[in-house]
Amino acid sequence: EPSATADQVANALTRSAADADPDTGCVRCSIGHDALTGWGLLDVANAVRRLSDSPPDSDRYEANDEASIAASLWGRKGQRIRATLDYWDDRVDVYKIKLRRGQVVARLKGPIGANSNLFLWKPGTQRIGGKSVDRKLLAAQSKSPGSIERIRLNVTRKGWYYLVVKVSTPGSGRYTLRYRKRPRAELRATPR
């Protein structure tokens, strides 16, 4: 499949593997993905069939897992992004957006069956994950359980912000992220 992207091939290889579990001789392995064997034993023929029959969703924004390699998004009023997350291989996607003063609204419809989170980090953010994260740079985060998330924030400082989508429970799949920029004049004109 010469048109397959690297993330599609990786997904096909892992998801088509033959599971290693107690029934197949791995007494300490659990069914499905586990710490001992990952996805299981490689099955190349099954992976090729999977790519030919129903290729996994491609993610044109990869790799975008940290602030330093975030996918830059342009758009005067906002944008809609369709991409993928995977709890085991790609838990976080980071998007760099330029904001002016006013309101930003972001909505996430995450992978079905997995808990997703949405974050907005302020200009100056160097790292999104790990121990050296400066939590004072977190501008907003969603608080809802499940896969539907929302952030609304009145931005007071212009600059490059980081919109972060994260899957926090086992699961994978496609998500849709929409964000809108609303200038102050539009905010005053909008009835409550």
Side-chain angles (χ1 to χ4, degrees):
E1 293 299 323
S3 64
T5 62
D7 60 302
Q8 287 178 303
V9 172
N11 185 297
L13 285 169
T14 57
R15 297 316 192 277
S16 64
D19 193 20
D21 59 29
D23 291 340
T24 60
C26 184
V27 179
R28 294 177 40 212
C29 296
S30 60
I31 295 174
H33 187 276
D34 63 65
L36 293 174
T37 62
W39 288 104
L41 303 171
L42 186 61
D43 185 340
V44 176
N46 198 13
V48 170
R49 269 193 306 278
R50 183 178 172 105
L51 274 176
S52 298
D53 296 342
S54 60
D57 293 328
S58 177
D59 190 342
R60 71 184 184 109
Y61 295 102
E62 283 302 330
N64 61 330
D65 302 331
E66 190 54 71
S68 61
I69 55 172
S72 296
L73 300 177
W74 301 94
R76 211 170 144 236
K77 294 186 177 184
Q79 197 168 355
R80 180 175 67 185
I81 298 109
R82 288 193 176 115
T84 60
L85 283 177
D86 187 319
Y87 179 79
W88 298 277
D89 298 323
D90 180 27
R91 289 186 188 189
V92 177
D93 280 350
V94 183
Y95 301 97
K96 185 176 175 181
I97 59 174
K98 191 165 191 173
L99 297 177
R100 291 181 286 206
R101 293 175 61 142
Q103 188 179 48
V104 64
V105 176
R107 293 182 182 159
L108 170 68
K109 185 176 180 182
I112 296 170
N115 188 37
S116 307
N117 296 328
L118 188 57
F119 304 88
L120 185 67
W121 291 83
K122 297 177 187 176
T125 298
Q126 299 293 316
R127 294 192 49 81
I128 302 299
K131 293 181 181 180
S132 62
V133 172
D134 185 355
R135 298 284 298 173
K136 290 183 252 174
L137 292 173
L138 181 61
Q141 76 180 68
S142 61
K143 307 252 185 209
S144 305
S147 63
I148 307 297
E149 303 294 328
R150 183 178 176 165
I151 288 177
R152 178 176 282 180
L153 178 71
N154 188 16
V155 174
T156 58
R157 179 178 159 204
K158 69 178 183 175
W160 285 98
Y161 284 73
Y162 297 91
L163 196 52
V164 177
V165 179
K166 181 178 182 179
V167 62
S168 56
T169 59
S172 65
R174 198 169 186 79
Y175 67 85
T176 302
L177 173 65
R178 296 175 191 222
Y179 75 92
R180 261 188 351 210
K181 304 173 187 180
R182 298 176 69 189
R184 285 179 175 218
E186 188 180 321
L187 290 174
R188 283 193 293 271
T190 304
R192 292 207 175 243

